[in-house]
Amino acid sequence: MESIKKNDKGTHALIYRYNKNRTVFEKALISENIDYVVYGGVRLLERKHVKDALSFLMVYLNRRDVVGYNRILTLLPGIGTKTAKRLIKTNMDDISHLKGQKHVLVQKVKDILDFDGDKTELFDTICTFYFSMYENIESDYYTKEEIADDFKLVRDLLVTFDSLENFIINIILDPVVDLKKGKNPKVVLTTIHSAKGLEFDHVYYFHTHDWYKNYDLETLEEDRRLFYVGISRAKEQLYVFDHTELKRSFEDILRDFDTLPIVETPTAADSDFSLMKENKEEISKIDNSNKDKETDKKHTTEGNVIRVNFNRNR
């Protein structure tokens, strides 16, 4: 995050293979109040289910938030805009006109808005209630597991604030730091596939490599190709975040693509090892992949992060 703030005039891309890796980046960016866009997706705080949950928190603090009030009431099955308006007008003091399931659900909303307890307990209660209605609000874009992961991320952010009021003010109400300063976004979260054909001044590549998937050469080749696509998006600076807890050099990471794991299985054919050696050689040419790039040949390793600097030839 410090690199992004320090180099606010350049473009930054956080590249990962799987969308599940995005959450750790989003949490950090939101915590640091840094604006960003998601290629091929929607930012955390702009996703419908997250806005639904946050609306409960905002109405909990301010019953005059008519927009949020209407949002949470119309989530309930059988409650339309007209009924919601009537309930908001009386602050749900009288719900005797509602029958059956409608009455039960509105009473639960009342209980949430009258909740007396810790902010995280309040949010947990909201999430539980939300999932109790999942059949009626099921998303076409997100699975139940993805929604749960997003709620967990919001909860993790909430815990870092000393009060619910400060969380709402800093995360939701206050504008984030504007690093765009123009038409093109300055900070991008993207999968490898969405980053194809694009270049950024600074690239932060999240390297994942699962050996158990790579017993066949075709899968190994696909991993190698995607790795090459990801790291070659960088114009000036490349950071490779290694998935292992070991301190490895850039050359060590390249060996992920030319060595099969040592397991008690039939030995791979010599031809297979020969082909994997050729794969590594192609990646190793990253320094000369573009005519206007030349690496300084000094890969800096800090923990499980490897930094590669590029010097542009003019």
Side-chain angles (χ1 to χ4, degrees), residues 20-42:
K20 63 182 180 181
N21 300 135
R22 182 177 68 197
T23 56
V24 64
F25 295 133
E26 287 203 87
K27 180 181 177 181
L29 289 168
I30 294 172
S31 297
E32 294 294 330
N33 229 20
I34 296 175
D35 197 15
Y36 66 96
V37 298
V38 178
Y39 281 2
V42 180

mmCIF file of all heavy atoms in Angstrom, residues 20-42:
data_model
loop_
_atom_site.group_PDB
_atom_site.id
_atom_site.type_symbol
_atom_site.label_atom_id
_atom_site.label_comp_id
_atom_site.label_asym_id
_atom_site.label_seq_id
_atom_site.Cartn_x
_atom_site.Cartn_y
_atom_site.Cartn_z
ATOM 1 N N LYS A 20 -10.807 -15.397 -5.568
ATOM 2 C CA LYS A 20 -10.775 -15.517 -4.107
ATOM 3 C C LYS A 20 -9.562 -14.805 -3.523
ATOM 4 O O LYS A 20 -9.561 -14.432 -2.338
ATOM 5 C CB LYS A 20 -10.764 -16.986 -3.701
ATOM 6 C CG LYS A 20 -9.535 -17.752 -4.159
ATOM 7 C CD LYS A 20 -9.617 -19.217 -3.772
ATOM 8 C CE LYS A 20 -8.386 -19.989 -4.237
ATOM 9 N NZ LYS A 20 -8.473 -21.426 -3.892
ATOM 10 N N ASN A 21 -8.510 -14.603 -4.332
ATOM 11 C CA ASN A 21 -7.313 -13.903 -3.856
ATOM 12 C C ASN A 21 -7.527 -12.394 -3.742
ATOM 13 O O ASN A 21 -6.712 -11.697 -3.146
ATOM 14 C CB ASN A 21 -6.134 -14.162 -4.801
ATOM 15 C CG ASN A 21 -5.766 -15.625 -4.911
ATOM 16 O OD1 ASN A 21 -5.544 -16.140 -5.988
ATOM 17 N ND2 ASN A 21 -5.704 -16.319 -3.785
ATOM 18 N N ARG A 22 -8.635 -11.927 -4.309
ATOM 19 C CA ARG A 22 -8.879 -10.480 -4.360
ATOM 20 C C ARG A 22 -9.199 -9.898 -2.986
ATOM 21 O O ARG A 22 -8.906 -8.733 -2.708
ATOM 22 C CB ARG A 22 -10.045 -10.217 -5.319
ATOM 23 C CG ARG A 22 -10.395 -8.760 -5.510
ATOM 24 C CD ARG A 22 -11.512 -8.625 -6.531
ATOM 25 N NE ARG A 22 -12.764 -9.162 -6.039
ATOM 26 C CZ ARG A 22 -13.793 -9.463 -6.830
ATOM 27 N NH1 ARG A 22 -13.694 -9.328 -8.126
ATOM 28 N NH2 ARG A 22 -14.911 -9.924 -6.309
ATOM 29 N N THR A 23 -9.789 -10.702 -2.109
ATOM 30 C CA THR A 23 -10.285 -10.169 -0.845
ATOM 31 C C THR A 23 -9.196 -9.533 0.010
ATOM 32 O O THR A 23 -9.421 -8.502 0.630
ATOM 33 C CB THR A 23 -10.988 -11.275 -0.034
ATOM 34 O OG1 THR A 23 -10.078 -12.366 0.149
ATOM 35 C CG2 THR A 23 -12.226 -11.779 -0.762
ATOM 36 N N VAL A 24 -8.021 -10.156 0.036
ATOM 37 C CA VAL A 24 -6.937 -9.605 0.863
ATOM 38 C C VAL A 24 -6.510 -8.230 0.350
ATOM 39 O O VAL A 24 -6.196 -7.326 1.134
ATOM 40 C CB VAL A 24 -5.732 -10.578 0.892
ATOM 41 C CG1 VAL A 24 -5.112 -10.740 -0.478
ATOM 42 C CG2 VAL A 24 -4.678 -10.090 1.896
ATOM 43 N N PHE A 25 -6.539 -8.034 -0.969
ATOM 44 C CA PHE A 25 -6.176 -6.742 -1.550
ATOM 45 C C PHE A 25 -7.260 -5.700 -1.271
ATOM 46 O O PHE A 25 -6.967 -4.557 -0.925
ATOM 47 C CB PHE A 25 -5.978 -6.869 -3.063
ATOM 48 C CG PHE A 25 -4.824 -7.753 -3.454
ATOM 49 C CD1 PHE A 25 -4.970 -8.721 -4.434
ATOM 50 C CD2 PHE A 25 -3.586 -7.618 -2.855
ATOM 51 C CE1 PHE A 25 -3.908 -9.532 -4.798
ATOM 52 C CE2 PHE A 25 -2.516 -8.420 -3.212
ATOM 53 C CZ PHE A 25 -2.680 -9.381 -4.190
ATOM 54 N N GLU A 26 -8.515 -6.094 -1.431
ATOM 55 C CA GLU A 26 -9.616 -5.155 -1.201
ATOM 56 C C GLU A 26 -9.632 -4.674 0.242
ATOM 57 O O GLU A 26 -9.854 -3.486 0.513
ATOM 58 C CB GLU A 26 -10.957 -5.797 -1.566
ATOM 59 C CG GLU A 26 -11.172 -5.955 -3.060
ATOM 60 C CD GLU A 26 -12.641 -6.062 -3.421
ATOM 61 O OE1 GLU A 26 -13.299 -5.020 -3.613
ATOM 62 O OE2 GLU A 26 -13.127 -7.195 -3.519
ATOM 63 N N LYS A 27 -9.421 -5.582 1.154
ATOM 64 C CA LYS A 27 -9.417 -5.208 2.567
ATOM 65 C C LYS A 27 -8.339 -4.168 2.842
ATOM 66 O O LYS A 27 -8.582 -3.167 3.534
ATOM 67 C CB LYS A 27 -9.182 -6.450 3.430
ATOM 68 C CG LYS A 27 -9.162 -6.160 4.923
ATOM 69 C CD LYS A 27 -8.903 -7.428 5.713
ATOM 70 C CE LYS A 27 -8.801 -7.117 7.203
ATOM 71 N NZ LYS A 27 -8.532 -8.341 8.006
ATOM 72 N N ALA A 28 -7.155 -4.368 2.281
ATOM 73 C CA ALA A 28 -6.045 -3.437 2.489
ATOM 74 C C ALA A 28 -6.333 -2.081 1.853
ATOM 75 O O ALA A 28 -6.088 -1.033 2.457
ATOM 76 C CB ALA A 28 -4.762 -4.027 1.920
ATOM 77 N N LEU A 29 -6.855 -2.073 0.638
ATOM 78 C CA LEU A 29 -7.142 -0.821 -0.066
ATOM 79 C C LEU A 29 -8.225 -0.014 0.642
ATOM 80 O O LEU A 29 -8.115 1.209 0.790
ATOM 81 C CB LEU A 29 -7.565 -1.121 -1.513
ATOM 82 C CG LEU A 29 -6.461 -1.615 -2.446
ATOM 83 C CD1 LEU A 29 -7.053 -2.142 -3.747
ATOM 84 C CD2 LEU A 29 -5.458 -0.502 -2.748
ATOM 85 N N ILE A 30 -9.281 -0.705 1.089
ATOM 86 C CA ILE A 30 -10.361 -0.016 1.790
ATOM 87 C C ILE A 30 -9.857 0.529 3.121
ATOM 88 O O ILE A 30 -10.182 1.655 3.512
ATOM 89 C CB ILE A 30 -11.558 -0.972 2.001
ATOM 90 C CG1 ILE A 30 -12.182 -1.343 0.654
ATOM 91 C CG2 ILE A 30 -12.613 -0.323 2.885
ATOM 92 C CD1 ILE A 30 -13.235 -2.429 0.739
ATOM 93 N N SER A 31 -9.053 -0.258 3.825
ATOM 94 C CA SER A 31 -8.504 0.183 5.113
ATOM 95 C C SER A 31 -7.648 1.431 4.953
ATOM 96 O O SER A 31 -7.640 2.309 5.816
ATOM 97 C CB SER A 31 -7.677 -0.936 5.749
ATOM 98 O OG SER A 31 -8.475 -2.062 6.050
ATOM 99 N N GLU A 32 -6.922 1.509 3.836
ATOM 100 C CA GLU A 32 -6.052 2.657 3.580
ATOM 101 C C GLU A 32 -6.772 3.783 2.845
ATOM 102 O O GLU A 32 -6.175 4.782 2.479
ATOM 103 C CB GLU A 32 -4.836 2.214 2.758
ATOM 104 C CG GLU A 32 -3.895 1.268 3.486
ATOM 105 C CD GLU A 32 -3.207 1.919 4.667
ATOM 106 O OE1 GLU A 32 -2.992 3.143 4.612
ATOM 107 O OE2 GLU A 32 -2.897 1.213 5.637
ATOM 108 N N ASN A 33 -8.085 3.586 2.595
ATOM 109 C CA ASN A 33 -8.882 4.614 1.921
ATOM 110 C C ASN A 33 -8.356 4.936 0.521
ATOM 111 O O ASN A 33 -8.318 6.096 0.096
ATOM 112 C CB ASN A 33 -8.925 5.888 2.761
ATOM 113 C CG ASN A 33 -10.347 6.415 2.914
ATOM 114 O OD1 ASN A 33 -11.305 5.670 2.719
ATOM 115 N ND2 ASN A 33 -10.482 7.680 3.249
ATOM 116 N N ILE A 34 -7.946 3.932 -0.201
ATOM 117 C CA ILE A 34 -7.428 4.104 -1.561
ATOM 118 C C ILE A 34 -8.487 3.667 -2.574
ATOM 119 O O ILE A 34 -9.020 2.560 -2.490
ATOM 120 C CB ILE A 34 -6.140 3.279 -1.773
ATOM 121 C CG1 ILE A 34 -5.033 3.795 -0.839
ATOM 122 C CG2 ILE A 34 -5.680 3.353 -3.220
ATOM 123 C CD1 ILE A 34 -3.758 2.969 -0.888
ATOM 124 N N ASP A 35 -8.785 4.528 -3.503
ATOM 125 C CA ASP A 35 -9.778 4.217 -4.529
ATOM 126 C C ASP A 35 -9.229 3.168 -5.497
ATOM 127 O O ASP A 35 -8.027 3.126 -5.773
ATOM 128 C CB ASP A 35 -10.156 5.485 -5.295
ATOM 129 C CG ASP A 35 -11.450 5.306 -6.076
ATOM 130 O OD1 ASP A 35 -12.176 4.334 -5.800
ATOM 131 O OD2 ASP A 35 -11.725 6.138 -6.962
ATOM 132 N N TYR A 36 -10.114 2.346 -6.031
ATOM 133 C CA TYR A 36 -9.678 1.306 -6.960
ATOM 134 C C TYR A 36 -10.855 0.854 -7.817
ATOM 135 O O TYR A 36 -12.010 1.142 -7.506
ATOM 136 C CB TYR A 36 -9.104 0.103 -6.201
ATOM 137 C CG TYR A 36 -10.131 -0.646 -5.366
ATOM 138 C CD1 TYR A 36 -10.777 -1.784 -5.867
ATOM 139 C CD2 TYR A 36 -10.465 -0.214 -4.083
ATOM 140 C CE1 TYR A 36 -11.718 -2.463 -5.106
ATOM 141 C CE2 TYR A 36 -11.408 -0.883 -3.329
ATOM 142 C CZ TYR A 36 -12.031 -2.013 -3.843
ATOM 143 O OH TYR A 36 -12.970 -2.677 -3.099
ATOM 144 N N VAL A 37 -10.552 0.153 -8.896
ATOM 145 C CA VAL A 37 -11.587 -0.452 -9.724
ATOM 146 C C VAL A 37 -11.279 -1.941 -9.850
ATOM 147 O O VAL A 37 -10.137 -2.367 -9.668
ATOM 148 C CB VAL A 37 -11.667 0.184 -11.126
ATOM 149 C CG1 VAL A 37 -12.024 1.654 -11.046
ATOM 150 C CG2 VAL A 37 -10.361 -0.010 -11.891
ATOM 151 N N VAL A 38 -12.303 -2.718 -10.149
ATOM 152 C CA VAL A 38 -12.142 -4.148 -10.348
ATOM 153 C C VAL A 38 -12.476 -4.475 -11.794
ATOM 154 O O VAL A 38 -13.605 -4.239 -12.235
ATOM 155 C CB VAL A 38 -13.058 -4.957 -9.405
ATOM 156 C CG1 VAL A 38 -12.901 -6.460 -9.666
ATOM 157 C CG2 VAL A 38 -12.751 -4.642 -7.947
ATOM 158 N N TYR A 39 -11.503 -4.959 -12.532
ATOM 159 C CA TYR A 39 -11.768 -5.374 -13.906
ATOM 160 C C TYR A 39 -12.455 -6.734 -13.884
ATOM 161 O O TYR A 39 -11.966 -7.679 -13.267
ATOM 162 C CB TYR A 39 -10.468 -5.472 -14.701
ATOM 163 C CG TYR A 39 -9.937 -4.126 -15.163
ATOM 164 C CD1 TYR A 39 -10.583 -2.949 -14.842
ATOM 165 C CD2 TYR A 39 -8.770 -4.041 -15.916
ATOM 166 C CE1 TYR A 39 -10.095 -1.717 -15.240
ATOM 167 C CE2 TYR A 39 -8.271 -2.809 -16.331
ATOM 168 C CZ TYR A 39 -8.937 -1.652 -15.993
ATOM 169 O OH TYR A 39 -8.445 -0.431 -16.403
ATOM 170 N N GLY A 40 -13.600 -6.810 -14.544
ATOM 171 C CA GLY A 40 -14.347 -8.060 -14.584
ATOM 172 C C GLY A 40 -15.115 -8.322 -13.301
ATOM 173 O O GLY A 40 -15.460 -9.457 -13.004
ATOM 174 N N GLY A 41 -15.400 -7.263 -12.533
ATOM 175 C CA GLY A 41 -16.126 -7.442 -11.284
ATOM 176 C C GLY A 41 -16.559 -6.111 -10.695
ATOM 177 O O GLY A 41 -16.421 -5.059 -11.314
ATOM 178 N N VAL A 42 -17.100 -6.158 -9.490
ATOM 179 C CA VAL A 42 -17.622 -4.978 -8.800
ATOM 180 C C VAL A 42 -16.885 -4.817 -7.472
ATOM 181 O O VAL A 42 -16.576 -5.806 -6.797
ATOM 182 C CB VAL A 42 -19.140 -5.130 -8.531
ATOM 183 C CG1 VAL A 42 -19.688 -3.906 -7.800
ATOM 184 C CG2 VAL A 42 -19.890 -5.346 -9.845
#
